[in-house]
Amino acid sequence: MSDRTEVRGGEPTARPAPEAEGEHRFGLPTATALVVGSVIGTGVFALPSALAAYGPISLVAFGLVTFGALALALTFGALSRRIPGSGGPYVYAREAFGDFAGFLTAWSYWITAWAGNAAIVVAWVGYVEVFWNTGHSTGWSIAIAMVGLWLPALVNLSGLRNTGAMQVVTTVLKFVPLLFMATVGLLFVDADNFGSFNASGMSAGGAVSAAAAIALFSYLGIETASVAAGRVRDPRRNVGLATVLGTLGCAVVYVLGTVTVFGTVPNAALQASTAPFTDSADAIFGGEWAGQAVAVAAVVSGLGALIGWTLIVAEMPRVAARDRLFPRQFAATRNGVPAFGIISSTVLASLLTVVSYTSFANVFTTIVLLSVLTAVIPYLFSAAAQLFWLLTRGRATRPARLVRDVLVSVVALVFSFWSLAGSGYQAVYYGAFCLFLGVPVYIWMKVGRGEYGEPASPQPADELVPTDGAVPGPRDGAAGDRAGSGEPTGGVVVAREAVAARSAEIPGRGPRVDGRRRSPADH
């Protein structure tokens, strides 16, 4: 389940550790289902209502966001081949820019994941209430939301095999009706329903940027296969392929499905709708049966997304905790899953959901913008890491391929900045506040590691090597190396010596030879 990192010529690569006996791993279909299941939650089912306030110009924003999301997917695919272990954006940022960048990425992504779960469950409640609590009583809405958050937590705590099986089943059940709406539904589009092209009252550029920030929420999750790469078989091949295939599939049903909803439900009614795909299905087929079928698909979809995100919300902190950049409780596992991370993040999502229903006037959009802002930071660091490695280590690459890869990473980087700018002042304010709350945590973790003097409670050497076989601590080329020399200093030397001494006692793991871990073939 762990991954081990080598440094060859200053460029980080990683070798996934051998699979533990009896450990369950995701294949390509399950990894793709994890991407699709995490990306397609209930957000897409509620998104047309959020975009309706801007009018059809939001479809332009959706197209641009789709283009940027594909650039990010290709970037994550390339990064996963370079470093195929678990952690995704956290590992990429830490390898390229050091501990602080890695910590900020993990911290920001952690906020994104549990705040995003709150947004997903809010949209999910809207579709549950097609059948029950149709009067939208706040108390019952909160109760339904708690079921939507804690049921996926229980599925995850039962083990990876159950999580993977549920991802495949729920992905199929939700993808089919969405694909139907994105194809057959186009035959029923009426241009009169679209309304004013720019209904926002803003400039065209402002409307596109604002709508794009909301639309980006629909694509959050394209990186999930890379975050859980250590749990995927043959991650160098399967992670990148699952990321690109999953993003392409989502893009088709997203853009065409939104066009169908815009063209079948009048704009004024769409802005007030809590279940826009249900209203669209009712408008297409008449009566209520079609809309209720779509609502069932949305409920299943939301549960599938929450199951996937509940795993992902704890996965990156687990890897950061192994590197002692997150509290050690996040590294603890039960049934092969990070139980503390799952429970604590679900508690935080529950609290945010309660606050949202009692304090926010526009629940879904408010949480969406906060989630988008904190998600863009890991995306930005990942694109920057890829660009950094291409410009510093890509000289041996064929010129045409290098130009192509640089162009893709530049598009991903520019797209991340654009999404950041479009989040709005309120989201930037709350997002920046949440992000920098992590600085005291970072100081606490660094002091606890003893890199700046003696730690208050010296940590036994045994604790430097987790039970799953990972070797934590600063990697070569990360923060702590002398500028320009590549030689480690201070606490990095102490940590590595302790790890090396402990590793010598573990079968199959010898000391480092020429900057890498000696393999059995070296003996």
Side-chain angles (χ1 to χ4, degrees):
M1 187 155 55
S2 64
D3 56 277
R4 287 172 283 175
T5 303
E6 295 178 334
V7 176
R8 294 175 179 169
E11 180 179 4
T13 60
R15 295 179 291 115
E19 293 183 22
E21 184 177 355
E23 181 181 290
H24 181 70
R25 296 276 176 138
F26 298 152
L28 177 61
T30 306
T32 305
L34 178 63
V35 174
V36 174
S38 300
V39 172
I40 300 181
T42 47
V44 63
F45 290 94
L47 197 70
S49 296
L51 293 177
Y54 301 96
I57 196 172
S58 60
L59 296 173
V60 176
F62 218 150
L64 293 174
V65 167
T66 300
F67 183 73
L70 288 172
L72 279 171
L74 292 170
T75 299
F76 282 119
L79 287 167
S80 68
R81 290 189 294 273
R82 189 184 300 273
I83 308 176
S86 281
Y90 157 73
V91 177
Y92 312 146
R94 185 172 183 237
E95 292 291 352
F97 308 119
D99 279 359
F100 188 58
F103 171 81
L104 281 183
T105 298
W107 178 264
S108 181
Y109 193 83
W110 180 60
I111 294 172
T112 294
W114 59 258
N117 278 356
I120 292 172
V121 84
V122 165
W124 181 78
V125 168
Y127 279 92
V128 172
E129 290 180 343
V130 169
F131 307 99
W132 191 53
N133 191 35
T134 55
H136 306 296
S137 166
T138 300
W140 280 113
S141 294
I142 292 174
I144 296 169
M146 294 304 102
V147 173
L149 289 171
W150 285 98
L151 184 59
L154 293 175
V155 171
N156 274 274
L157 291 172
S158 69
L160 280 178
R161 189 177 299 276
N162 292 336
T163 300
M166 288 295 293
Q167 277 298 295
V168 173
V169 171
T170 56
T171 297
V172 171
L173 290 177
K174 65 184 168 184
F175 196 79
V176 171
L178 278 175
L179 186 61
F180 178 84
M181 292 292 290
T183 52
V184 176
L186 292 174
L187 300 175
F188 297 89
V189 167
D190 183 348
D192 292 338
N193 289 322
F194 284 97
S196 174
F197 181 70
N198 182 2
S200 67
M202 305 167 62
S203 66
V208 168
S209 294
I214 297 174
L216 178 59
F217 180 78
S218 301
Y219 287 105
L220 297 188
I222 59 175
E223 73 292 336
T224 49
S226 69
V227 174
R231 303 182 183 275
V232 178
R233 289 193 297 270
D234 190 8
R236 287 188 183 278
R237 171 185 178 272
N238 289 338
V239 169
L241 193 55
T243 301
V244 174
L245 290 176
T247 304
L248 284 171
C250 293
V252 169
V253 299
Y254 272 3
V255 176
L256 297 182
T258 302
V259 170
T260 294
V261 175
F262 269 47
T264 53
V265 181
N267 183 266
L270 187 58
Q271 291 188 42
S273 175
T274 59
F277 271 87
T278 291
D279 294 341
S280 177
D282 286 340
I284 291 172
F285 297 103
E288 297 182 354
W289 67 269
Q292 290 178 347
V294 171
V296 170
V299 171
V300 172
S301 176
L303 280 177
L306 287 164
I307 289 170
W309 273 106
T310 302
L311 170 65
I312 295 302
V313 75
E315 190 67 12
M316 193 181 293
R318 180 183 71 87
V319 179
R322 283 199 332 226
D323 291 333
R324 298 164 67 187
L325 288 177
F326 251 64
R328 69 176 63 184
Q329 290 86 349
F330 283 91
T333 60
R334 182 184 180 92
N335 290 331
V337 296
F340 177 83
I342 289 172
I343 293 172
S344 61
S345 300
T346 305
V347 168
L348 289 170
S350 300
L351 292 174
L352 180 58
T353 302
V354 172
V355 170
S356 300
Y357 272 108
T358 56
S359 301
F360 295 164
N362 194 335
V363 179
F364 180 74
T365 303
T366 301
I367 304 178
V368 160
L369 290 175
L370 174 61
S371 301
V372 165
L373 181 88
T374 51
V376 166
I377 293 169
Y379 291 171
L380 195 152
F381 271 119
S382 297
Q386 172 70 348
L387 184 60
F388 168 74
W389 282 321
L390 287 171
L391 296 178
T392 58
R393 312 293 176 189
R395 297 181 184 90
T397 307
R398 292 193 305 271
R401 181 176 178 180
L402 179 61
V403 170
R404 181 202 67 187
D405 291 347
V406 167
L407 182 61
V408 169
S409 60
V410 167
V411 170
L413 188 64
V414 171
F415 172 68
S416 299
F417 275 113
W418 179 52
S419 301
L420 193 67
S423 297
Y425 294 110
Q426 185 181 35
V428 170
Y429 171 79
Y430 287 118
F433 182 77
C434 290
L435 177 66
F436 288 109
L437 276 177
V439 173
V441 178
Y442 178 77
I443 295 172
W444 171 45
M445 296 307 302
K446 295 292 279 188
V447 171
R449 286 170 61 169
E451 294 192 10
Y452 304 97
E454 290 296 322
S457 300
Q459 194 173 19
D462 286 355
E463 296 186 15
L464 290 171
V465 181
T467 55
D468 63 1
V471 180
R475 295 180 175 90
D476 299 301
D481 291 359
R482 285 196 188 95
S485 70
E487 292 296 321
T489 63
V492 180
V493 174
V494 175
R496 287 186 184 168
E497 288 176 352
V499 171
R502 176 62 177 154
S503 296
E505 303 171 6
I506 300 176
R509 184 184 279 170
R512 287 186 178 270
V513 177
D514 298 329
R516 64 182 176 84
R517 179 73 58 196
R518 182 188 295 171
S519 67
D522 294 318
H523 291 283

